[in-house]
Amino acid sequence: MKSILSTKNLTFDYIRRDDEGNVEGITTAVDDVTLDVKEGDFIAILGANGSGKSTLAKHINAILYPTEGTVFVDGKDTSDDKNIWDIRQCAGMVFQNPDNQIIGQIVEEDVGFGPENLGVPTKEIWERVEESLKAVHMYEYRKKSPNKLSGGQKQRVSIAGVLAMHPKCIVLDEPTAMLDPSGRKEVIRAIRALNDVEKITVILITHYMEETIHANKIFVMDKGKIAMEGTPKEIFSKVEMLKKLRLDVPQVTLLAYELKKAGLPLPDGILTTEELICQLS
Amino acid sequence: MIRDITIGQYYSTDSLIHRLDPRVKLVGTLCYIISLFLINNWPGYIIATAFLFMVIALSRVPVKFMVRGLRAIVLLLIIAGVVNLFFTPGEELWAWKKLSITKEGITMASTMVLRLIFLIMGSSIMTLTTTPNNLTDGLEKGLSFLKIFKAPVHEMAMMMSIALRFIPILLEETDKIMKAQIARGADFESKNLIKKAKALVPLLVPLFVSAFRRANDLALAMEARCYRGGDGRTKMKPLIYKKADAAAYLVILLYMIACIYFGRIFKF
Amino acid sequence: MSIILDHVCHTYESGTDLKSDALKDVSFKIEDGEFVGLIGHTGSGKSTLVQHLNGLLKPTSGNIYFDGADINDSDYDRKNLRRQVGLVFQYPEHQLFEADVFSDVSFGPKNMGFDKKEAELTAYSALEMVGIPHDLFYVSPFDLSGGQKRRVAIAGVLAMKPRVLVLDEPTAGLDPAGRDEILSLIKKLHDENKITVILVSHSMEDVANYVDRIIVMNDGSVYLDDTPRNVFSHYRELESIGLSAPAVTYILGALQNKGFNVDTNATTIDEALHTILHALKA
């Protein structure tokens, strides 16, 4: 499979300044990260608040540039200025707060914003808006004001807005953090459909463990570094390690872990209810 | 709940006026306002009244919505009426001490009040039948000739439409912050002016912090979606004149000619 | 001391086309020292309800009694009510405004008419209670991490020495460890400082682990009001109103279907562990 994103020794420092603008110190937000994502993958990035996941995400979309190291998106170097618009079209980004990323005053106009910026002809914009809204099941809301939608619906509109730019990869930076459980489910379902049906590479940043169990691969970040990487099964079998990194495991996994500690012969990294029941029977 | 308010009081329905190009409506409103100050006799006012009511009828917006806009200027209407009524020199009809009502005063007061009422109603037809977004588009396209003078027309229009989107969100946020501070004993109802100003600090600081954060987030989101100013952008809903728009321009032109001819020149 | 809601209704924008009933005939009583979870999906009326408890909103009809007095009587001291019933809103960003943490926390007690020394003392002890280290007392609240901001916001309300603490989604946006820390802090406040706590939450696991009683809101009415065990035994009904039971409830339900003799009313990991081990031994 072709590589869609690869970073090599990516390091990002930002300089802290005091009120007078004097340099107070340097904080390394991302520290020597090397990773490779293949086309069509579903990648999850976990990490506590302040572990550098959002900073990493902003590099994929060429919003930030590495202080050291390189980031290649679809074979293009993000620090080369002439690639910036291609990269942003290729790797779309959905942010945490639904209210702060919707620009249009009507749902369909917001979804059309990206294609308008790309200079897509009017007729094709309408086609793209229609297919994108249908992909996230928001087509019947196309004439509504975003202010009247629920959080989950707003995030789906944001996803459609990115989809309309025909990206190869979508980076979602904690898209469910401000949603209620049913909104979270809606959004995760939409994201999985993008990956399964549209074959778009997904990079999902979250701190809800349950949302990552369908990923091909999970990266766990801590203090700017990649602390763990592996399949969900591999990652969630290390309960103690995750707890140390201020994270958690899905409830089923936790129960299985406790049962194992109590002496039952169970394998590590049970992720679903079915698996647990199968093992217990 | 606050999010339900619509800025610019758009009344959603489908009518001939709603479907017109926003540029036509902008030009029409401007012409109507000019006409109000051109006419100086009663046939002119008859034409202006007839035109106004024709457009109201075509717009299918209930008249009570037009009248609603007048509530804000009731005080202005009263002052304009009273000042003109009592302080216009001329043929005296009634006098008491220094106050006097003259024939000219009555004419002056009634035309002044009528002009103001028509002005507000005329411009509220525009805002009631055009979505703020559409209006912004109309302004952007209508003023695009200013670009040759390096005026940032696209940027201004973009700012306007973003402001329109965020006003309800920030209003709601203001309400939440106020409640959070009232829960900590803040007093926003004090009659004392200094206390009142002081009470605003706990409201304004979080509000500004939040507004800046939102602005920053939005700028990032726009950049991430390849926004790079007006050059090379296409439009999802481009403004294109249709036959109805041409007809509307013709009606406006005829109205202006009628106003000038019967309202100023023609002697009865 | 108790809070009594007697047939409380609240209608937004009454008399206009936008009229909506946010609360419909809500009645319940919260006793001194309870730890209550208030759950319901977005728009179920939870937020409207909590704003009635300290008089931020007035019922359209019905009455609310605190310590036996009607809080909406014209001569009722509402400022004192807001001191007694502390309300912490969801986002700390909505209340932090001072130049440093300590002054921000003193804002509440000063408004409540505590003298300077007393206000500083209560602010100090409130910051200690929520576990903010001394070296953060004089930094700007805007420089804190998400979890720290949340603590400072809670301290800002605690400093008024409330007897009832109402928290709206105190864990939203925090990482798992941050969530646990805030929840154990709230539990500590309840257990050690004898504060009555009303916790508004979306997370069934959080609610199941901490509270003694759950009030489920749906469409402006009280849908269920019972112990966590009894509430979650209705998990099918909960699903029909857009909620769900904790994950363990489903696991135990599935195990029972497979013929295991487990107690399906268990709601926490500990309880589940117990009943599964018990069933396997038998």
Side-chain angles (χ1 to χ4, degrees):
Chain A
M1 262 300 191
K2 223 181 115 202
S3 158
I4 184 94
L5 163 71
S6 76
T7 70
K8 210 164 171 231
N9 308 109
L10 163 60
T11 302
F12 182 76
D13 299 326
Y14 64 88
I15 297 168
R16 279 177 289 120
R17 288 176 195 278
D18 62 12
D19 296 339
E20 281 90 47
N22 303 316
V23 176
E24 268 188 335
I26 293 174
T27 306
T28 304
V30 179
D31 192 359
D32 194 23
V33 168
T34 301
L35 54 79
D36 188 62
V37 176
K38 299 269 178 272
E39 238 173 76
D41 270 356
F42 188 136
I43 299 292
I45 301 179
L46 288 170
N49 292 338
S51 61
K53 1 183 242 318
S54 290
T55 315
L56 174 64
K58 286 179 185 134
H59 279 85
I60 306 172
N61 197 261
I63 289 174
L64 294 176
Y65 309 104
T67 318
E68 273 170 59
T70 52
V71 180
F72 279 88
V73 175
D74 200 26
K76 296 186 183 79
D77 188 345
T78 61
S79 34
D80 189 346
D81 269 349
K82 70 174 196 294
N83 289 334
I84 167 171
W85 304 112
D86 286 341
I87 287 168
R88 287 186 185 162
Q89 184 266 319
C90 169
M93 185 134 183
V94 175
F95 298 87
Q96 184 187 95
N97 188 333
D99 277 331
N100 297 356
Q101 57 185 316
I102 295 182
I103 294 117
Q105 294 179 66
I106 301 174
V107 166
E108 60 181 13
E109 287 176 5
D110 183 71
V111 178
F113 179 77
E116 283 182 336
N117 292 334
L118 295 174
V120 173
T122 301
K123 189 166 162 275
E124 201 192 324
I125 296 181
W126 282 92
E127 288 162 14
R128 287 189 182 200
V129 168
E130 184 179 333
E131 66 179 35
S132 309
L133 281 171
K134 280 182 176 161
V136 296
H137 301 287
M138 286 296 292
Y139 189 61
E140 59 268 46
Y141 296 93
R142 65 190 181 282
K143 300 282 179 202
K144 291 243 190 239
S145 154
N147 288 341
K148 300 205 171 168
L149 303 179
S150 72
Q153 290 171 332
K154 279 189 241 182
Q155 282 303 52
R156 285 191 283 154
V157 170
S158 302
I159 293 172
V162 170
L163 214 49
M165 296 169 68
H166 288 178
K168 289 186 184 165
C169 167
I170 296 187
V171 184
L172 303 108
D173 188 1
E174 296 191 35
T176 58
M178 300 179 79
L179 307 182
D180 66 3
S182 54
R184 273 208 304 266
K185 263 184 223 151
E186 274 170 39
V187 170
I188 291 299
R189 214 177 294 137
I191 295 170
R192 288 187 61 196
L194 292 187
N195 186 247
D196 288 346
V197 183
E198 319 271 334
K199 305 292 175 214
I200 293 173
T201 314
V202 169
I203 299 176
L204 173 66
I205 295 170
T206 182
H207 39 222
Y208 287 102
M209 306 301 134
E210 281 80 2
E211 295 173 356
T212 65
I213 58 171
H214 299 287
N216 302 107
K217 197 170 187 184
I218 297 178
F219 292 95
V220 180
M221 289 196 65
D222 181 46
K223 301 193 186 77
K225 288 186 189 301
I226 303 259
M228 299 162 79
E229 66 174 282
T231 61
K233 217 174 193 45
E234 287 161 9
I235 297 288
F236 291 127
S237 50
K238 297 180 182 124
V239 180
E240 296 298 327
M241 174 91 175
L242 285 167
K243 295 235 170 195
K244 226 179 270 162
L245 298 176
R246 299 181 59 85
L247 299 173
D248 205 353
V249 294
Q251 292 279 306
V252 184
T253 316
L254 187 60
L255 180 59
Y257 169 78
E258 293 289 340
L259 285 167
K260 193 185 172 191
K261 260 203 335 205
L264 292 187
L266 290 173
D268 281 330
I270 287 179
L271 298 177
T272 62
T273 310
E274 293 75 44
E275 235 180 300
L276 176 64
I277 287 162
C278 197
Q279 291 290 344
L280 283 176
S281 301
Chain B
M1 302 304 128
I2 293 179
R3 281 191 186 199
D4 289 340
I5 61 160
T6 37
I7 305 298
Q9 46 161 0
Y10 177 67
Y11 181 87
S12 175
T13 181
D14 188 38
S15 78
L16 187 70
I17 306 289
H18 280 75
R19 283 194 301 268
L20 284 182
D21 191 287
R23 286 168 292 176
V24 178
K25 287 186 261 190
L26 280 164
V27 171
T29 308
L30 197 66
C31 286
Y32 189 69
I33 292 170
I34 293 170
S35 78
L36 289 176
F37 291 90
L38 281 178
I39 48 185
N40 59 3
N41 61 13
W42 58 268
Y45 280 103
I46 290 174
I47 296 171
T49 314
F51 185 72
L52 183 69
F53 280 91
M54 177 190 84
V55 178
I56 291 176
L58 283 175
S59 74
R60 293 163 68 183
V61 177
V63 180
K64 69 171 183 195
F65 282 89
M66 310 268 166
V67 179
R68 207 175 267 181
L70 293 176
R71 276 195 304 213
I73 60 151
V74 166
L75 195 68
L76 188 72
L77 286 177
I78 293 171
I79 292 171
V82 169
V83 168
N84 282 298
L85 187 63
F86 290 111
F87 299 101
T88 313
E91 189 184 322
E92 213 164 84
L93 294 177
W94 174 89
W96 180 73
K97 289 190 181 164
K98 285 204 165 169
L99 294 176
S100 65
I101 296 180
T102 62
K103 205 175 158 192
E104 287 77 5
I106 293 174
T107 325
M108 211 38 191
S110 50
T111 52
M112 205 59 203
V113 169
L114 211 58
R115 270 178 190 166
L116 280 172
I117 291 175
F118 281 13
L119 193 139
I120 294 297
M121 286 176 79
S123 34
S124 58
I125 292 177
M126 180 176 71
T127 50
L128 282 163
T129 62
T130 322
T131 59
N133 223 17
N134 216 264
L135 208 57
T136 320
D137 278 355
L139 277 172
E140 181 181 355
K141 188 115 188 216
L143 297 178
S144 62
F145 66 90
L146 290 175
K147 274 188 199 153
I148 51 169
F149 305 111
K150 297 246 187 294
V153 179
H154 166 77
E155 285 72 13
M156 297 297 285
M158 182 55 84
M159 278 196 256
M160 238 173 92
S161 78
I162 289 172
L164 286 167
R165 192 179 123 58
F166 277 89
I167 286 167
I169 294 175
L170 288 175
L171 279 176
E172 191 183 72
E173 189 141 272
T174 310
D175 182 61
K176 279 189 188 153
I177 296 169
M178 247 170 126
K179 280 179 173 162
Q181 303 299 26
I182 292 173
R184 294 207 289 165
D187 185 4
F188 293 107
E189 280 141 26
S190 172
K191 294 275 186 291
N192 182 328
L193 212 62
I194 295 168
K195 266 193 184 164
K196 213 171 186 167
K198 254 178 117 178
L200 284 179
V201 176
L203 172 64
L204 292 179
V205 173
L207 188 63
F208 275 101
V209 170
S210 152
F212 280 113
R213 203 194 50 236
R214 283 182 192 281
N216 194 29
D217 284 4
L218 188 74
L220 272 188
M222 286 171 73
E223 265 191 62
R225 284 164 78 182
C226 293
Y227 179 71
R228 53 197 128 165
D231 298 335
R233 255 186 128 229
T234 43
K235 284 270 178 193
M236 181 181 181
K237 296 175 176 171
L239 292 177
I240 298 164
Y241 282 127
K242 292 183 285 287
K243 274 191 189 136
D245 299 313
Y249 272 130
L250 192 66
V251 172
I252 294 167
L253 184 69
L254 288 174
Y255 165 74
M256 285 307 275
I257 292 170
C259 268
I260 294 166
Y261 185 71
F262 292 106
R264 277 191 89 90
I265 301 164
F266 189 77
K267 291 281 176 280
F268 286 89
Chain C
M1 182 214 75
S2 61
I3 298 173
I4 299 171
L5 273 78
D6 183 25
H7 300 288
V8 171
C9 298
H10 189 91
T11 309
Y12 283 111
E13 313 265 350
S14 59
T16 71
D17 306 341
L18 300 169
K19 170 175 179 292
S20 67
D21 294 320
L23 292 179
K24 298 171 194 161
D25 196 25
V26 173
S27 299
F28 58 76
K29 180 174 181 182
I30 291 174
E31 296 287 356
D32 206 356
E34 275 193 282
F35 196 152
V36 181
L38 187 60
I39 62 178
H41 65 89
T42 311
S44 60
K46 308 183 297 264
S47 296
T48 308
L49 179 63
V50 294
Q51 290 178 31
H52 278 79
L53 301 179
N54 71 347
L56 281 175
L57 290 175
K58 279 194 180 126
T60 314
S61 67
N63 301 88
I64 299 163
Y65 301 93
F66 182 71
D67 272 346
D70 187 334
I71 65 166
N72 291 301
D73 273 348
S74 52
D75 57 347
Y76 190 85
D77 181 359
R78 248 181 302 282
K79 197 159 188 167
N80 184 44
L81 173 75
R82 287 180 189 138
R83 192 179 79 69
Q84 308 260 11
V85 183
L87 178 52
V88 184
F89 280 84
Q90 184 173 4
Y91 293 107
E93 289 81 3
H94 284 157
Q95 69 174 68
L96 302 177
F97 74 100
E98 277 281 13
D100 63 80
V101 168
F102 194 79
S103 327
D104 202 282
V105 175
S106 331
F107 177 69
K110 275 185 191 150
N111 283 329
M112 289 306 167
F114 292 28
D115 65 42
K116 194 165 180 281
K117 194 154 180 215
E118 213 182 338
E120 283 174 357
L121 270 174
T122 55
Y124 185 86
S125 66
L127 280 166
E128 293 249 286
M129 262 194 255
V130 300
I132 292 286
H134 290 181
D135 55 334
L136 291 179
F137 280 19
Y138 295 101
V139 306
S140 160
F142 302 106
D143 289 341
L144 299 176
S145 74
Q148 288 165 339
K149 277 185 192 161
R150 201 82 34 140
R151 284 160 189 273
V152 171
I154 294 173
V157 171
L158 278 179
M160 301 188 296
K161 297 197 165 175
R163 288 192 291 159
V164 181
L165 190 61
V166 187
L167 302 115
D168 192 358
E169 298 275 342
T171 60
L174 298 182
D175 58 32
R179 276 176 238 161
D180 287 346
E181 285 161 11
I182 291 289
L183 288 167
S184 25
L185 163 68
I186 295 166
K187 185 164 172 53
K188 192 185 91 185
L189 293 173
H190 172 258
D191 294 350
E192 291 174 15
N193 302 71
K194 307 291 172 223
I195 295 175
T196 308
V197 177
I198 300 170
L199 177 67
V200 180
S201 180
H202 281 137
S203 164
M204 303 308 143
E205 279 83 12
D206 291 352
V207 172
N209 282 332
Y210 291 93
V211 307
D212 313 320
R213 170 181 168 195
I214 293 177
I215 297 174
V216 182
M217 296 288 297
N218 181 45
D219 198 19
S221 314
V222 174
Y223 186 76
L224 288 167
D225 179 356
D226 213 328
T227 59
R229 276 174 157 263
N230 291 340
V231 165
F232 290 133
S233 67
H234 297 276
Y235 64 93
R236 290 199 195 287
E237 287 102 309
L238 288 176
E239 274 165 21
S240 72
I241 59 167
L243 297 171
S244 56
V248 294
T249 308
Y250 294 95
I251 300 170
L252 293 171
L255 279 174
Q256 194 185 39
N257 284 344
K258 285 272 172 190
F260 286 88
N261 183 24
V262 289
D263 170 18
T264 53
N265 284 339
T267 55
T268 64
I269 296 276
D270 272 353
E271 286 171 8
L273 183 69
H274 231 76
T275 176
I276 293 175
L277 289 176
H278 195 78
L280 287 174
K281 261 180 216 149

